[in-house]
mmCIF file of all heavy atoms in Angstrom:
data_model
loop_
_atom_site.group_PDB
_atom_site.id
_atom_site.type_symbol
_atom_site.label_atom_id
_atom_site.label_comp_id
_atom_site.label_asym_id
_atom_site.label_seq_id
_atom_site.Cartn_x
_atom_site.Cartn_y
_atom_site.Cartn_z
ATOM 1 N N ALA A 1 6.692 54.124 9.370
ATOM 2 C CA ALA A 1 5.353 53.628 9.018
ATOM 3 C C ALA A 1 5.166 52.198 9.440
ATOM 4 O O ALA A 1 4.099 51.814 9.972
ATOM 5 C CB ALA A 1 5.116 53.772 7.516
ATOM 6 N N LEU A 2 6.165 51.359 9.219
ATOM 7 C CA LEU A 2 6.087 49.957 9.647
ATOM 8 C C LEU A 2 5.977 49.848 11.166
ATOM 9 O O LEU A 2 5.233 48.988 11.677
ATOM 10 C CB LEU A 2 7.275 49.203 9.120
ATOM 11 C CG LEU A 2 7.357 48.978 7.609
ATOM 12 C CD1 LEU A 2 8.687 48.299 7.228
ATOM 13 C CD2 LEU A 2 6.167 48.130 7.127
ATOM 14 N N THR A 3 6.727 50.680 11.865
ATOM 15 C CA THR A 3 6.685 50.634 13.319
ATOM 16 C C THR A 3 5.296 51.007 13.838
ATOM 17 O O THR A 3 4.746 50.330 14.739
ATOM 18 C CB THR A 3 7.713 51.623 13.902
ATOM 19 O OG1 THR A 3 9.029 51.254 13.450
ATOM 20 C CG2 THR A 3 7.681 51.622 15.421
ATOM 21 N N ILE A 4 4.716 52.038 13.289
ATOM 22 C CA ILE A 4 3.326 52.427 13.684
ATOM 23 C C ILE A 4 2.347 51.327 13.347
ATOM 24 O O ILE A 4 1.475 50.983 14.161
ATOM 25 C CB ILE A 4 2.931 53.752 12.989
ATOM 26 C CG1 ILE A 4 3.844 54.887 13.499
ATOM 27 C CG2 ILE A 4 1.490 54.071 13.240
ATOM 28 C CD1 ILE A 4 3.631 56.183 12.769
ATOM 29 N N ALA A 5 2.488 50.720 12.173
ATOM 30 C CA ALA A 5 1.580 49.644 11.784
ATOM 31 C C ALA A 5 1.707 48.470 12.711
ATOM 32 O O ALA A 5 0.686 47.844 13.101
ATOM 33 C CB ALA A 5 1.871 49.240 10.342
ATOM 34 N N LEU A 6 2.953 48.118 13.075
ATOM 35 C CA LEU A 6 3.126 47.019 14.014
ATOM 36 C C LEU A 6 2.493 47.305 15.359
ATOM 37 O O LEU A 6 1.887 46.428 16.000
ATOM 38 C CB LEU A 6 4.623 46.734 14.187
ATOM 39 C CG LEU A 6 5.303 46.038 13.001
ATOM 40 C CD1 LEU A 6 6.837 45.977 13.224
ATOM 41 C CD2 LEU A 6 4.762 44.630 12.790
ATOM 42 N N GLY A 7 2.659 48.545 15.827
ATOM 43 C CA GLY A 7 2.025 48.930 17.128
ATOM 44 C C GLY A 7 0.541 48.829 17.071
ATOM 45 O O GLY A 7 -0.108 48.284 17.990
ATOM 46 N N ILE A 8 -0.041 49.380 16.014
ATOM 47 C CA ILE A 8 -1.512 49.316 15.865
ATOM 48 C C ILE A 8 -1.979 47.870 15.766
ATOM 49 O O ILE A 8 -2.991 47.456 16.384
ATOM 50 C CB ILE A 8 -1.978 50.128 14.639
ATOM 51 C CG1 ILE A 8 -1.697 51.613 14.864
ATOM 52 C CG2 ILE A 8 -3.415 49.897 14.344
ATOM 53 C CD1 ILE A 8 -1.957 52.479 13.677
ATOM 54 N N GLY A 9 -1.207 47.075 15.020
ATOM 55 C CA GLY A 9 -1.580 45.635 14.904
ATOM 56 C C GLY A 9 -1.544 44.927 16.231
ATOM 57 O O GLY A 9 -2.399 44.109 16.529
ATOM 58 N N ALA A 10 -0.484 45.214 17.004
ATOM 59 C CA ALA A 10 -0.384 44.553 18.320
ATOM 60 C C ALA A 10 -1.532 44.944 19.216
ATOM 61 O O ALA A 10 -2.131 44.077 19.904
ATOM 62 C CB ALA A 10 0.959 44.929 18.969
ATOM 63 N N VAL A 11 -1.901 46.232 19.249
ATOM 64 C CA VAL A 11 -3.019 46.681 20.074
ATOM 65 C C VAL A 11 -4.314 46.009 19.628
ATOM 66 O O VAL A 11 -5.134 45.546 20.441
ATOM 67 C CB VAL A 11 -3.116 48.195 20.014
ATOM 68 C CG1 VAL A 11 -4.426 48.682 20.703
ATOM 69 C CG2 VAL A 11 -1.916 48.839 20.662
ATOM 70 N N SER A 12 -4.515 45.942 18.330
ATOM 71 C CA SER A 12 -5.764 45.370 17.798
ATOM 72 C C SER A 12 -5.853 43.866 18.120
ATOM 73 O O SER A 12 -6.904 43.373 18.520
ATOM 74 C CB SER A 12 -5.831 45.570 16.284
ATOM 75 O OG SER A 12 -5.817 46.953 15.969
ATOM 76 N N ILE A 13 -4.758 43.170 17.960
ATOM 77 C CA ILE A 13 -4.750 41.727 18.181
ATOM 78 C C ILE A 13 -5.053 41.426 19.663
ATOM 79 O O ILE A 13 -5.872 40.554 19.999
ATOM 80 C CB ILE A 13 -3.418 41.096 17.765
ATOM 81 C CG1 ILE A 13 -3.309 41.154 16.231
ATOM 82 C CG2 ILE A 13 -3.298 39.687 18.241
ATOM 83 C CD1 ILE A 13 -1.956 40.765 15.736
ATOM 84 N N VAL A 14 -4.384 42.140 20.552
ATOM 85 C CA VAL A 14 -4.611 41.899 22.010
ATOM 86 C C VAL A 14 -6.027 42.245 22.382
ATOM 87 O O VAL A 14 -6.719 41.533 23.160
ATOM 88 C CB VAL A 14 -3.593 42.676 22.851
ATOM 89 C CG1 VAL A 14 -3.941 42.589 24.328
ATOM 90 C CG2 VAL A 14 -2.196 42.147 22.601
ATOM 91 N N GLY A 15 -6.551 43.371 21.847
ATOM 92 C CA GLY A 15 -7.931 43.743 22.171
ATOM 93 C C GLY A 15 -8.925 42.738 21.689
ATOM 94 O O GLY A 15 -9.872 42.409 22.406
ATOM 95 N N ALA A 16 -8.722 42.243 20.461
ATOM 96 C CA ALA A 16 -9.634 41.262 19.933
ATOM 97 C C ALA A 16 -9.578 39.962 20.752
ATOM 98 O O ALA A 16 -10.603 39.317 20.985
ATOM 99 C CB ALA A 16 -9.320 40.979 18.477
ATOM 100 N N ALA A 17 -8.367 39.569 21.139
ATOM 101 C CA ALA A 17 -8.272 38.332 21.924
ATOM 102 C C ALA A 17 -8.934 38.480 23.272
ATOM 103 O O ALA A 17 -9.638 37.560 23.735
ATOM 104 C CB ALA A 17 -6.780 38.010 22.114
ATOM 105 N N ALA A 18 -8.745 39.604 23.938
ATOM 106 C CA ALA A 18 -9.388 39.831 25.239
ATOM 107 C C ALA A 18 -10.896 39.919 25.116
ATOM 108 O O ALA A 18 -11.650 39.459 25.988
ATOM 109 C CB ALA A 18 -8.849 41.086 25.896
ATOM 110 N N ARG A 19 -11.397 40.476 24.026
ATOM 111 C CA ARG A 19 -12.827 40.673 23.852
ATOM 112 C C ARG A 19 -13.546 39.402 23.450
ATOM 113 O O ARG A 19 -14.658 39.115 23.946
ATOM 114 C CB ARG A 19 -13.045 41.727 22.772
ATOM 115 C CG ARG A 19 -14.534 42.108 22.525
ATOM 116 C CD ARG A 19 -14.635 43.062 21.352
ATOM 117 N NE ARG A 19 -14.145 42.458 20.126
ATOM 118 C CZ ARG A 19 -13.258 42.994 19.286
ATOM 119 N NH1 ARG A 19 -12.758 44.204 19.575
ATOM 120 N NH2 ARG A 19 -12.861 42.363 18.177
ATOM 121 N N ASP A 20 -12.930 38.601 22.561
ATOM 122 C CA ASP A 20 -13.635 37.477 22.005
ATOM 123 C C ASP A 20 -13.268 36.092 22.577
ATOM 124 O O ASP A 20 -13.920 35.111 22.307
ATOM 125 C CB ASP A 20 -13.370 37.406 20.481
ATOM 126 C CG ASP A 20 -13.829 38.676 19.775
ATOM 127 O OD1 ASP A 20 -14.684 39.388 20.356
ATOM 128 O OD2 ASP A 20 -13.314 38.978 18.665
ATOM 129 N N SER A 21 -12.171 36.041 23.375
ATOM 130 C CA SER A 21 -11.687 34.732 23.747
ATOM 131 C C SER A 21 -12.636 33.964 24.671
ATOM 132 O O SER A 21 -12.632 32.713 24.685
ATOM 133 C CB SER A 21 -10.322 34.852 24.437
ATOM 134 O OG SER A 21 -10.448 35.656 25.601
ATOM 135 N N THR A 22 -13.477 34.660 25.456
ATOM 136 C CA THR A 22 -14.342 33.972 26.401
ATOM 137 C C THR A 22 -15.795 33.786 25.871
ATOM 138 O O THR A 22 -16.642 33.226 26.565
ATOM 139 C CB THR A 22 -14.405 34.752 27.714
ATOM 140 O OG1 THR A 22 -14.892 36.081 27.450
ATOM 141 C CG2 THR A 22 -13.026 34.847 28.348
ATOM 142 N N LEU A 23 -16.048 34.259 24.663
ATOM 143 C CA LEU A 23 -17.370 34.142 24.109
ATOM 144 C C LEU A 23 -17.543 32.797 23.421
ATOM 145 O O LEU A 23 -16.628 32.257 22.806
ATOM 146 C CB LEU A 23 -17.621 35.262 23.071
ATOM 147 C CG LEU A 23 -17.606 36.709 23.637
ATOM 148 C CD1 LEU A 23 -17.815 37.705 22.516
ATOM 149 C CD2 LEU A 23 -18.692 36.875 24.729
ATOM 150 N N ALA A 24 -18.756 32.262 23.588
ATOM 151 C CA ALA A 24 -19.086 31.030 22.878
ATOM 152 C C ALA A 24 -19.219 31.304 21.420
ATOM 153 O O ALA A 24 -19.542 32.420 20.994
ATOM 154 C CB ALA A 24 -20.366 30.425 23.455
ATOM 155 N N GLU A 25 -18.986 30.261 20.613
ATOM 156 C CA GLU A 25 -19.052 30.417 19.161
ATOM 157 C C GLU A 25 -20.473 30.830 18.736
ATOM 158 O O GLU A 25 -21.451 30.228 19.141
ATOM 159 C CB GLU A 25 -18.664 29.092 18.481
ATOM 160 C CG GLU A 25 -18.653 29.193 16.977
ATOM 161 C CD GLU A 25 -18.232 27.906 16.333
ATOM 162 O OE1 GLU A 25 -17.885 26.948 17.085
ATOM 163 O OE2 GLU A 25 -18.211 27.823 15.098
ATOM 164 N N GLY A 26 -20.491 31.935 17.922
ATOM 165 C CA GLY A 26 -21.782 32.394 17.409
ATOM 166 C C GLY A 26 -22.540 33.320 18.314
ATOM 167 O O GLY A 26 -23.595 33.845 17.926
ATOM 168 N N SER A 27 -22.051 33.541 19.543
ATOM 169 C CA SER A 27 -22.768 34.429 20.477
ATOM 170 C C SER A 27 -22.507 35.889 20.183
ATOM 171 O O SER A 27 -21.495 36.224 19.541
ATOM 172 C CB SER A 27 -22.379 34.092 21.916
ATOM 173 O OG SER A 27 -20.969 34.307 22.074
ATOM 174 N N GLU A 28 -23.408 36.753 20.630
ATOM 175 C CA GLU A 28 -23.260 38.191 20.436
ATOM 176 C C GLU A 28 -22.290 38.770 21.453
ATOM 177 O O GLU A 28 -22.149 38.256 22.553
ATOM 178 C CB GLU A 28 -24.635 38.859 20.603
ATOM 179 C CG GLU A 28 -25.661 38.454 19.537
ATOM 180 C CD GLU A 28 -25.284 38.986 18.194
ATOM 181 O OE1 GLU A 28 -24.599 40.065 18.104
ATOM 182 O OE2 GLU A 28 -25.674 38.375 17.175
ATOM 183 N N LEU A 29 -21.634 39.880 21.039
ATOM 184 C CA LEU A 29 -20.748 40.590 21.957
ATOM 185 C C LEU A 29 -21.568 41.222 23.083
ATOM 186 O O LEU A 29 -22.598 41.853 22.838
ATOM 187 C CB LEU A 29 -19.934 41.675 21.224
ATOM 188 C CG LEU A 29 -18.765 41.205 20.353
ATOM 189 C CD1 LEU A 29 -18.176 42.387 19.608
ATOM 190 C CD2 LEU A 29 -17.715 40.549 21.217
ATOM 191 N N THR A 30 -21.056 41.085 24.287
ATOM 192 C CA THR A 30 -21.705 41.713 25.434
ATOM 193 C C THR A 30 -21.003 42.992 25.787
ATOM 194 O O THR A 30 -19.832 43.219 25.404
ATOM 195 C CB THR A 30 -21.682 40.762 26.649
ATOM 196 O OG1 THR A 30 -20.298 40.562 27.024
ATOM 197 C CG2 THR A 30 -22.303 39.412 26.280
ATOM 198 N N PRO A 31 -21.658 43.891 26.532
ATOM 199 C CA PRO A 31 -20.984 45.125 26.985
ATOM 200 C C PRO A 31 -19.748 44.820 27.806
ATOM 201 O O PRO A 31 -18.727 45.519 27.681
ATOM 202 C CB PRO A 31 -22.066 45.828 27.820
ATOM 203 C CG PRO A 31 -23.359 45.345 27.237
ATOM 204 C CD PRO A 31 -23.110 43.938 26.851
ATOM 205 N N ASP A 32 -19.777 43.751 28.628
ATOM 206 C CA ASP A 32 -18.611 43.417 29.401
ATOM 207 C C ASP A 32 -17.431 43.011 28.498
ATOM 208 O O ASP A 32 -16.280 43.356 28.754
ATOM 209 C CB ASP A 32 -18.910 42.286 30.380
ATOM 210 C CG ASP A 32 -19.787 42.732 31.537
ATOM 211 O OD1 ASP A 32 -19.839 43.985 31.737
ATOM 212 O OD2 ASP A 32 -20.416 41.889 32.196
ATOM 213 N N ALA A 33 -17.776 42.267 27.448
ATOM 214 C CA ALA A 33 -16.696 41.840 26.508
ATOM 215 C C ALA A 33 -16.080 43.043 25.808
ATOM 216 O O ALA A 33 -14.855 43.115 25.629
ATOM 217 C CB ALA A 33 -17.262 40.853 25.488
ATOM 218 N N ARG A 34 -16.930 43.999 25.433
ATOM 219 C CA ARG A 34 -16.411 45.190 24.765
ATOM 220 C C ARG A 34 -15.522 45.981 25.742
ATOM 221 O O ARG A 34 -14.462 46.472 25.345
ATOM 222 C CB ARG A 34 -17.556 46.060 24.249
ATOM 223 C CG ARG A 34 -18.288 45.456 23.074
ATOM 224 C CD ARG A 34 -19.223 46.506 22.456
ATOM 225 N NE ARG A 34 -19.839 46.007 21.254
ATOM 226 C CZ ARG A 34 -20.987 45.384 21.191
ATOM 227 N NH1 ARG A 34 -21.671 45.148 22.344
ATOM 228 N NH2 ARG A 34 -21.476 44.942 20.042
#
């Protein structure tokens, strides 16, 4: 269970970083970012 949770956490963290890292503060998500 911990291994699965760590894997899901790693995927979520990388996805969030790739999606939100280039957006300006307070801006809406764009289709490209998603």
Side-chain angles (χ1 to χ4, degrees):
L2 290 175
T3 300
I4 294 174
L6 287 173
I8 293 174
V11 171
S12 299
I13 291 172
V14 172
R19 183 185 62 231
D20 300 338
S21 60
T22 59
L23 296 178
E25 183 178 356
S27 61
E28 296 290 333
L29 285 175
T30 64
D32 288 341
R34 289 190 174 91

